[in-house]
Amino acid sequence: MLQERGYRLRPRYRPGWKPSWTDTDIHPVYCEDSFTIIHWKILDATRISDGKTVIIKRVPVDSPEGDIAQFLSSPERLLDERNHTVPIFDRFRDDSVPDSEFIVMPLLRLATDPPFAVVSEIVELVRQTLEGLVYMHEQGVAHRDFSWLNIMLDASPMYPTGFHAQMKFLDPTGIHSVRETRRCDLNTVKYYIVDFGLSVRFEESDMVRLVTGVAAQDRNVPELSTSTPYDPFMVDIFTLGNFYLETLIASYSNLNFLTPLAIAMTKRDPKERPTAVEASNLFKDAVENLPGYKLRWRVRDPDDTVISSVISDAQSALREIMYQIKLFLGVSQSNSQLLHWSMSDYSVGNPGNHSSNPTDG
């Protein structure tokens, strides 16, 4: 069925597959076809038309995921650079599985994989996720599960030769280790919002925008209830703020400037939380006056030993010196925009207003 649709599965998942290590003295770990999928509903494949690796997800037909994801990733909406919805390449059904449909998406990685190198990389992640949240809410869509596992990174610019869909530390052959380019050494990377299985879309005419239900990754959302209706847009604010607090700020000791934003977004009373636009403005206020060198500085692990901290800080200082020398000599650094990332030209809710011109901050 998938072959006829234009997608070729890896050898392991083709009819008649025989393990390549059979009758050999090769250990299966060294064979690409020993790599199994992590989740039975998600399968990687090659798009035959261009050789691109894609992800095919099986979705229940009664799930809102297909409709909402396709709505948000329509051609006209994808033209808005604030839209961070995962693109849907294809959507189809097959009579052999009447209870399901299939959606095809790009191969992505978790937003936190690989680990961050410098502060500006995390600042850019926060900027893009807030930007995507503003856009999504403008379209009347509440995600309802906007947390760690549903925030993804298009890492293709970081891995020019690609990476294996199931063993991301290996190249597509599954044999060689990959070497990545740091986010900050690229002009840009893009983060995407995935998995709209719990999402809800409201029409402009809908006067009441409330839901019930307790399903979510983040079990800390205080208002989740099966009986008392709550505002799903404020749930998005909480879960994203809690992602900042527990996954980012708790992991790196020099992100304290983001703490007030995260605390505001995770207030127990939903009415005390900022809207998406207000959260974006809080973020802008938090970072716009940060000196450039702090954005370019390495992220600090709170568990660093004194020796490792001194060594890492020395390396970061050396990179900063080299940056300033290049700046003084007028050497182009356009290929490392995130190293001198600035909020000076960023305006919430205004598409196309995020400057591509590097500044020192």
Side-chain angles (χ1 to χ4, degrees):
M1 180 263 290
L2 293 177
Q3 184 86 11
E4 293 175 355
R5 189 74 190 186
Y7 304 103
R8 182 174 59 250
L9 299 179
R10 289 190 289 119
R12 182 184 184 92
Y13 297 100
R14 298 174 194 168
W17 168 70
K18 178 183 177 183
S20 62
W21 59 88
T22 301
D23 298 327
T24 74
D25 57 359
I26 302 175
H27 193 282
V29 73
Y30 297 108
C31 300
E32 189 278 336
D33 58 336
S34 70
F35 304 156
T36 59
I37 57 176
I38 297 173
H39 196 293
W40 70 273
K41 291 183 179 180
I42 300 174
L43 189 65
D44 59 284
T46 299
R47 188 164 60 188
I48 297 172
S49 62
D50 60 4
K52 183 182 181 70
T53 302
V54 295
I55 295 297
I56 303 175
K57 183 177 182 181
R58 181 174 173 174
V59 179
V61 293
D62 58 353
S63 168
E65 179 161 8
D67 287 341
I68 292 179
Q70 192 165 49
F71 166 77
L72 288 172
S73 66
S74 64
E76 63 273 16
R77 288 183 176 84
L78 288 178
L79 291 175
D80 193 322
E81 65 181 23
R82 299 175 302 148
N83 187 356
H84 290 266
T85 306
V86 61
I88 303 300
F89 297 150
D90 195 7
R91 182 186 181 191
F92 57 93
R93 297 179 65 176
D94 188 81
D95 292 339
S96 64
V97 279
D99 62 339
S100 301
E101 65 175 349
F102 300 88
I103 56 176
V104 182
M105 303 169 285
L107 173 63
L108 304 172
R109 301 171 73 106
L110 285 174
T112 53
D113 177 32
F116 299 101
V118 299
V119 172
S120 66
E121 296 178 344
I122 294 178
V123 170
E124 180 65 2
L125 166 62
V126 175
R127 184 193 74 79
Q128 289 194 34
T129 48
L130 285 170
E131 179 178 70
L133 184 63
V134 169
Y135 181 81
M136 186 168 60
H137 285 188
E138 284 179 0
Q139 305 304 307
V141 174
H143 190 281
R144 300 182 66 191
D145 200 20
F146 197 5
S147 196
W148 173 53
L149 293 177
N150 292 332
I151 302 172
M152 306 291 283
L153 164 68
D154 177 7
S156 53
M158 302 171 64
Y159 300 88
T161 59
F163 56 88
H164 195 281
Q166 303 301 329
M167 295 291 184
K168 293 182 171 61
F169 58 92
L170 297 175
D171 70 0
T173 68
I175 298 174
H176 305 289
S177 297
V178 293
R179 295 184 62 183
E180 74 263 2
T181 302
R182 300 185 310 169
R183 296 169 177 84
C184 60
D185 293 327
L186 295 166
N187 184 53
T188 188
V189 294
K190 186 161 184 174
Y191 295 93
Y192 286 102
I193 305 165
V194 304
D195 194 349
F196 293 86
L198 295 177
S199 302
V200 60
R201 178 189 168 202
F202 296 96
E203 303 291 343
E204 289 185 14
S205 58
D206 291 334
M207 299 301 293
V208 178
R209 297 188 169 197
L210 300 174
V211 299
T212 57
V214 297
Q217 282 182 63
D218 191 340
R219 308 300 297 175
N220 295 311
V221 184
E223 64 264 33
L224 294 183
S225 171
T226 57
S227 57
T228 304
Y230 55 85
D231 183 346
F233 295 95
M234 285 297 105
V235 170
D236 286 351
I237 297 295
F238 184 97
T239 53
L240 185 58
N242 212 30
F243 165 71
Y244 298 156
L245 201 60
E246 295 189 350
T247 303
L248 302 179
I249 297 169
S251 300
Y252 304 105
S253 60
N254 52 339
L255 298 179
N256 293 337
F257 60 92
L258 293 175
T259 302
L261 167 67
I263 290 177
M265 294 175 70
T266 53
K267 294 280 189 180
R268 288 196 60 81
D269 185 348
K271 295 179 180 178
E272 294 182 4
R273 296 172 202 157
T275 64
V277 170
E278 290 168 344
S280 295
N281 286 328
L282 288 173
F283 166 69
K284 179 182 178 182
D285 292 342
V287 302
E288 65 180 350
N289 293 319
L290 286 177
Y293 79 88
K294 285 192 175 181
L295 292 169
R296 292 186 294 271
W297 206 258
R298 61 108 180 178
V299 290
R300 288 196 174 99
D301 186 331
D303 296 325
D304 272 352
T305 64
V306 174
I307 293 177
S308 65
S309 181
V310 168
I311 293 173
S312 297
D313 279 343
Q315 292 171 336
S316 202
L318 180 59
R319 283 194 297 269
E320 177 65 15
I321 291 171
M322 295 302 298
Y323 170 82
Q324 294 296 341
I325 290 174
K326 290 181 179 180
L327 194 68
F328 177 76
L329 295 176
V331 177
S332 172
Q333 301 187 69
S334 60
N335 67 324
S336 53
Q337 179 177 333
L338 295 185
L339 281 174
H340 36 85
W341 187 94
S342 171
M343 283 295 296
S344 59
D345 296 308
Y346 174 56
S347 177
V348 173
N350 185 3
N353 203 36
H354 179 227
S355 173
S356 61
N357 296 322
T359 75
D360 180 40

